[in-house]
């Protein structure tokens, strides 16, 4: 290892796990440490950290739970442990304490690139530490080596009718990977609880590694784009994903995918896809079964599918208004959508109360790479109009755009204009966050999830004589 790389390894190895607050040491050795080796070092300290937190704070209450929260989709209810990221309503997401601009500045990049590599983000989500460029590259290689799909999974995909939504195909293929789950096999062989995290880690690495081949195969099958090329072990994850989709020669598109995967990877634990994965994993279903369930949640139009819906909504707008779109016409179209009892896709959020920093990151990418694109300009124009309409309508708690308002426009610009494929790319990204938490859940011995439910009659009885 070169002196500069060693210095950087030493510096990185001193960073604490951000939110877990584990103060700790560990100096990198001369050999490039693997992610699994680093994790094995971190787990015992984190188990002690959780024990200490529970001993000191275990009996304390976050606050009241109201009946409205039970009816209202549990908004704001503190109920889940999630270490990879925390969402602030005003500021947006932080991955292990780092904002998106922090990640753009601090995570290793591809040679000549300026966007952070998803490999490095996964290392950060799992360990709270920024990996060295060598560690990042080692992950690219490891994922490339694990990328091949079992033949029967390829056949499942090849037999799907092109009319079957890409997200359904995606979920089927991921679920079928459970055939070779290291965790499921180890469980059948009587693995001890304390060792669960090892095969969960192996399955999670396989899961992430195989997603580009699944996504690429679906894309090529559904949209008739020809034969799937092979994974190139000398390329990073996003470059391979871009190649499998047929855009590998476009370096700007590859950069977009790097940014895309990073910003879509994780959004704390309560969102539908993350929570579903954690919930299903809590039954000790393996990572393929757990993440297959996540994908089914991500495929809903109020969640990940909103990126598809945004493009459909924009196309309808253009079809109705024509190409010369005035502010007044946009305002009328937004009002018509609301009056038709529909949502404005890409706007609003269950937690955020400001513009999503993931929207801002994509807007900045567009300003750099496609400032004159008409669809990008339209999205910017809507940003100036839709929030006021939503505020005037008076229902949405957050009138600002979320991540989905922008992603499709960028993909469309580069020629990936099949919008019913967009949520597949969101799903590839979300695997990073869900997998990281599944590994920690098994390492920390997270229990089966089983909250209490009530019927309306039971609620009436409980509060019958209470003011
Ligand atoms: C990656 C992601 O998942 S980001 C979210 C992607 N989803 C979308 O962009 C779809 C459009 N947005 C929405 O439907 C919502 O804002 C959600 C689902 C994201 C959040 O829902 P909630 O937390 O319930 O939002 P909120 O508390 O503001 O809802 C209050 C009312 O405003 C409405 N509202 C919220 N956002 C919007 C919107 N964009 N357009 C129209 N109405 C809206 C809700 O439907 C609700 O109406 P109701 O009282 O008739 O049921
Ligand atoms: O946080 C949420 O509820 C939805 C969201 O933006 C995401 O999952 O990325």
């Amino acid at each position: 290892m070169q002196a500069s790389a060693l210095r950087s390894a030493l510096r990185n190895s001193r960073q604490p796990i951000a939110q877990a607050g584990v103060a700790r040491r560990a100096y990198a050795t001369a050999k490039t440490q693997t992610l699994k080796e680093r994790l094995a070092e971190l787990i015992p300290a984190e188990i002690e950290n959780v024990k200490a937190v529970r001993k000191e704070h275990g009996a304390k209450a976050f606050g009241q739970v109201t009946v409205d929260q039970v009816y209202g989709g549990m908004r704001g209810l503190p109920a889940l442990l999630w270490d990879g990221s925390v969402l602030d309503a005003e500021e947006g997401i932080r991955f292990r304490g780092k904002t998106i601009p922090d990640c753009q500045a601090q995570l290793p990049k591809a040679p000549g690139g300026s966007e952070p590599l998803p490999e490095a983000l996964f290392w950060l989500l799992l360990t709270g530490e920024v990996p060295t460029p060598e560690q990042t590259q080692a992950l690219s290689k490891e994922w490339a080596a694990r990328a091949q799909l079992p033949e029967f999974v390829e056949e499942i995909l090849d037999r799907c009718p092109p009319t079957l939504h890409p997200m359904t195909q995606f979920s089927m293929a991921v679920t079928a990977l459970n055939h070779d789950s290291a965790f499921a096999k180890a469980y059948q062989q009587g693995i001890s609880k304390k060792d669960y995290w090892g095969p969960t880690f192996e399955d999670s690495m396989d899961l992430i590694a195989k997603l580009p081949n699944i996504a690429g195969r679906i894309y090529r099958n559904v949209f008739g784009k020809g034969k799937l090329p092979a994974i190139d072990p000398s390329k990073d994850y996003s470059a391979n994903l871009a190649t499998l989709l047929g855009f590998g020669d476009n370096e700007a598109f590859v950069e977009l995918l790097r940014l895309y995967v990073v910003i879509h990877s994780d959004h704390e634990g309560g969102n539908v896809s993350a929570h579903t994965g954690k919930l299903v994993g809590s039954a000790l279903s393996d990572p393929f079964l757990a993440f297959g369930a996540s994908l089914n949640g991500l495929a809903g139009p109020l969640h990940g599918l909103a990126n598809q819906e945004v493009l459909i909504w924009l196309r309808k707008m253009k079809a109705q208004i024509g190409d010369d779109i005035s502010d007044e016409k946009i305002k009328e179209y937004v009002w018509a959508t609301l009056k038709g009892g529909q949502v404005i896709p890409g706007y609003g959020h269950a937690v955020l109360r400001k513009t999503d920093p993931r929207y801002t990151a994509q807007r900045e990418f567009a300003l750099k790479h496609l400032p004159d694109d008409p669809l990008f300009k339209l999205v910017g124009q809507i940003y100036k109009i839709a929030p006021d309409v939503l505020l005037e309508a008076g229902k949405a708690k957050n009138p600002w755009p979320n991540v989905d308002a922008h992603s499709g426009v960028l993909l469309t610009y580069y020629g990936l204009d099949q919008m019913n494929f967009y949520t597949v790319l969101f799903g590839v990204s979300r695997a990073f966050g869900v997998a990281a938490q599944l590994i920690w859940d098994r390492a920390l011995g997270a229990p089966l999830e089983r909250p209490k439910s009530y019927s309306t009659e039971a609620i009436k009885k409980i509060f019958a004589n209470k003011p």
Side-chain angles (χ1 to χ4, degrees):
M1 187 187 273
Q2 287 181 347
S4 62
L6 181 58
R7 267 198 306 280
S8 150
L10 288 169
R11 196 172 56 244
N12 292 331
S13 70
R14 287 188 196 118
Q15 291 173 2
I17 286 194
Q19 286 109 28
V22 181
R24 151 187 29 79
R25 45 23 54 209
Y27 296 92
T29 56
K31 170 184 163 280
T32 300
Q33 193 179 32
T34 68
L35 179 55
K36 195 171 187 185
E37 286 164 355
R38 183 66 185 128
L39 205 52
E41 286 180 350
L42 294 173
I43 286 170
E46 185 56 10
I47 289 173
E48 290 312 310
N49 185 41
V50 170
K51 268 192 203 151
V53 169
R54 293 190 67 171
K55 191 164 172 225
E56 194 179 346
H57 304 294
K60 295 175 188 165
F62 277 100
Q64 276 191 329
V65 176
T66 64
V67 172
D68 267 345
Q69 282 178 304
V70 173
Y71 280 101
M74 297 180 279
R75 287 299 175 287
L77 191 77
L80 297 168
L81 184 78
W82 196 269
D83 279 323
S85 64
V86 175
L87 182 63
D88 179 85
E90 307 286 315
E91 184 197 53
I93 198 67
R94 277 181 186 260
F95 305 110
R96 292 282 188 174
K98 295 190 191 302
T99 62
I100 291 168
D102 291 342
C103 289
Q104 286 172 307
Q106 297 169 25
L107 295 186
K109 300 166 184 65
S114 57
E115 298 300 344
L117 287 166
E119 288 86 335
L121 193 269
F122 187 61
W123 188 293
L124 175 72
L125 289 175
L126 259 179
T127 66
E129 300 169 351
V130 174
T132 64
E134 290 81 1
Q135 288 168 328
T136 308
Q137 216 181 29
L139 264 189
S140 304
K141 283 201 190 320
E142 188 165 355
W143 286 346
R146 291 173 183 251
Q148 204 180 341
L149 298 181
E151 223 174 275
F152 83 94
V153 174
E154 293 180 349
E155 277 167 21
I156 289 176
L157 289 174
D158 293 348
R159 279 166 174 258
C160 287
T163 44
L164 187 61
H165 195 282
M167 282 302 282
T168 314
Q169 301 193 29
F170 193 16
S171 147
M172 282 166 57
V174 165
T175 303
L177 289 176
N178 137 278
H179 183 269
D180 297 330
S181 164
F183 180 85
K185 190 168 167 209
Y187 192 84
Q188 289 310 319
Q189 289 171 349
I191 188 176
S192 160
K193 286 179 178 185
K194 66 177 180 10
D195 298 325
Y196 282 172
W197 77 269
T200 304
F201 177 89
E202 296 302 329
D203 282 352
S204 297
M205 293 285 279
D206 279 345
L207 169 70
I208 293 173
K210 292 180 193 308
L211 296 179
N213 264 327
I214 295 178
R217 201 164 193 100
I218 294 170
Y219 186 70
R220 287 181 181 258
N221 281 351
V222 172
F223 304 109
K225 297 283 181 182
K227 213 171 161 297
L228 201 65
I231 291 269
D232 180 345
S234 71
K235 285 188 176 161
D236 66 87
Y237 188 79
S238 313
N240 269 314
L241 177 57
T243 302
L244 294 173
L245 297 173
F247 299 90
D249 293 340
N250 188 333
E251 192 44 40
F253 182 85
V254 176
E255 278 284 274
L256 172 63
L257 274 191
R258 291 173 184 138
L259 176 67
Y260 184 104
V261 174
V262 165
I263 65 175
H264 285 80
S265 62
D266 206 27
H267 218 232
E268 73 171 27
N271 68 74
V272 170
S273 49
H275 183 196
T276 306
K278 184 181 172 76
L279 168 68
V280 174
S282 85
L284 298 186
S285 305
D286 63 60
F288 306 109
L289 297 178
F291 188 65
S294 292
L295 287 174
N296 290 337
L298 195 70
L302 294 188
H303 190 23
L305 202 78
N307 58 13
Q308 162 186 315
E309 298 301 297
V310 167
L311 259 285
I312 293 174
W313 186 74
L314 289 176
R315 282 197 185 175
K316 270 194 203 150
M317 180 191 290
K318 284 178 69 163
Q320 264 182 37
I321 305 176
D323 281 337
D324 189 17
I325 305 182
S326 67
D327 289 0
E328 204 44 48
K329 289 279 179 206
I330 292 179
K331 201 169 165 183
E332 277 171 25
Y333 183 75
V334 174
W335 270 116
T337 306
L338 292 178
K339 285 183 182 152
Q342 294 160 36
V343 296
I344 309 300
Y347 278 76
H349 199 272
V351 179
L352 284 167
R353 294 296 175 258
K354 286 271 167 70
T355 297
D356 191 337
R358 299 172 297 180
Y359 176 94
T360 310
Q362 294 180 96
R363 181 171 166 76
E364 277 162 13
F365 185 95
L367 284 170
K368 184 172 163 193
H369 294 274
L370 45 133
D372 299 322
D373 177 56
L375 205 53
F376 165 56
K377 285 189 172 167
L378 178 60
V379 165
Q381 197 181 353
I382 294 167
Y383 184 25
K384 292 194 197 124
I385 295 160
D388 284 342
V389 175
L390 281 165
L391 279 174
E392 202 182 324
K395 274 170 98 182
K397 293 194 188 69
N398 174 33
W400 302 108
N402 60 57
V403 66
D404 294 324
H406 216 304
S407 47
V409 171
L410 299 177
L411 297 169
T412 299
Y413 173 78
Y414 291 107
L416 207 167
D417 58 358
Q418 299 88 355
M419 51 248 198
N420 60 349
F421 185 75
Y422 291 168
T423 314
V424 172
L425 291 179
F426 195 156
V428 170
S429 320
R430 188 48 54 96
F432 285 59
V434 173
Q437 190 59 42
L438 284 172
I439 295 165
W440 272 110
D441 279 351
R442 301 292 78 78
L444 297 173
L448 179 86
E449 267 192 43
R450 186 21 176 122
K452 181 79 190 95
S453 65
Y454 291 94
S455 66
T456 292
E457 285 314 304
I459 290 171
K460 284 197 322 210
K461 251 192 225 157
I462 291 169
F463 296 103
N465 299 315
K466 293 185 184 155

